[in-house]
Amino acid sequence: AQSVAQPEDQVNVAEGNPLTVKCTYSVSGNPYLFWYVQYPNRGLQFLLKYITGDNLVKGSYGFEAEFNKSQTSFHLKKPSALVSDSALYFCAVRDIYSSASKIIFGSGTRLSIRP
Amino acid sequence: DGGITQSPKYLFRKEGQNVTLSCEQNLNHDAMYWYRQDPGQGLRLIYYSQIVNDFQKGDIAEGYSVSREKKESFPLTVTSAQKNPTAFYLCASSALTSGAYNEQFFGPGTRLTVL
């Protein structure tokens, strides 16, 4: 079965420090991976995706993610955290058994940036 | 201004009543989706549709119904058969492009509370 796991419910980082939000995946074949962010009482916003090509993917708001096939990971990173980055982050993988663009979401990681 | 709109933002329902949540998009996307979000559980797919007049059940379709009479609209009805309907409901849409894996765009959500 296809799945993504976000092993940390919460990540706390001081403003200005680098941040990492972890994601591991389990899929058959090539993974198509996404990161989304959700601010309180709002819908999800797309940050970035990995389909093929460079293992380092750059996205919105200064975020990037590194695809690591050997470790089946797709961690989200940012060199210098901002208080405004505090939000709920979801990793997701495309459901390859679906003909539509169905994606399977992880359980989410709450990122808290302290001033 | 393209995007996805959901209405209402907050909805209160008495037990035993059906209620319909609206979702409209002007992105010309073929696929539309409904998710339910509960605290600590991420997003779960209720229904999705790839084309007008066709839709498929997701992982938690029991107690819900949908229609897709127009490309732009994908309303969700929460019926009295849904035993625990209090949740945050998110609508999304995506393009369906052959050979591409497109991200989903989300609406702002509707928070449903059963009194």
Side-chain angles (χ1 to χ4, degrees):
Chain A
Q2 301 174 97
S3 64
V4 289
Q6 295 181 245
E8 302 156 316
D9 290 335
Q10 175 117 10
V11 171
N12 300 308
V13 177
E15 187 176 28
N17 283 0
L19 69 87
T20 298
V21 183
K22 295 180 180 178
C23 173
T24 59
Y25 64 88
S26 175
V27 301
S28 302
N30 295 324
Y32 302 105
L33 297 155
F34 305 83
W35 274 103
Y36 287 82
V37 60
Q38 184 181 31
Y39 298 99
N41 296 310
R42 303 287 293 277
L44 274 67
Q45 295 179 34
F46 170 75
L47 282 177
L48 51 80
K49 67 181 176 184
Y50 173 83
I51 305 299
T52 187
D54 289 342
N55 290 341
L56 187 64
V57 180
K58 294 190 182 297
S60 306
Y61 311 121
F63 284 94
E64 57 189 26
E66 187 171 9
F67 172 69
N68 188 317
K69 189 172 184 177
S70 62
Q71 297 185 5
T72 62
S73 67
F74 189 55
H75 301 330
L76 182 70
K77 300 181 180 184
K78 188 172 182 180
S80 178
L82 300 172
V83 172
S84 58
D85 293 330
S86 299
L88 187 58
Y89 289 81
F90 290 98
C91 183
V93 65
R94 180 179 182 266
D95 182 352
I96 64 169
Y97 298 113
S98 166
S99 57
S101 292
K102 280 181 62 182
I103 55 178
I104 300 168
F105 287 90
S107 57
T109 297
R110 189 165 300 282
L111 177 63
S112 178
I113 309 300
R114 60 183 183 274
Chain B
D1 187 21
I4 303 177
T5 57
Q6 291 186 242
S7 61
K9 187 172 183 178
Y10 298 96
L11 188 56
F12 297 90
R13 189 194 92 175
K14 294 181 179 179
E15 283 193 27
Q17 285 183 337
N18 293 354
V19 64
T20 297
L21 283 59
S22 169
C23 177
E24 304 276 334
Q25 54 99 359
N26 62 4
L27 300 169
N28 199 32
H29 285 167
D30 292 301
M32 297 187 73
Y33 313 81
W34 273 105
Y35 294 91
R36 169 181 172 137
Q37 185 177 22
D38 295 283
Q41 293 193 40
L43 277 69
R44 292 182 290 170
L45 183 64
I46 304 172
Y47 269 98
Y48 66 101
S49 168
Q50 300 177 74
I51 194 170
V52 173
N53 293 322
D54 187 44
F55 46 82
Q56 288 77 41
K57 293 181 179 179
D59 301 318
I60 55 164
E62 184 176 354
Y64 299 97
S65 66
V66 293
S67 62
R68 187 89 186 275
E69 297 178 0
K70 298 186 299 182
K71 187 176 183 178
E72 312 82 57
S73 178
F74 191 42
L76 173 74
T77 296
V78 184
T79 74
S80 57
Q82 169 50 234
K83 298 189 185 310
N84 185 21
T86 294
F88 190 49
Y89 290 87
L90 288 162
C91 180
S93 71
S94 68
L96 289 180
T97 309
S98 178
Y101 304 98
N102 299 308
E103 62 271 22
Q104 295 181 10
F105 292 81
F106 283 79
T110 293
R111 187 165 297 281
L112 173 64
T113 303
V114 174
L115 303 173

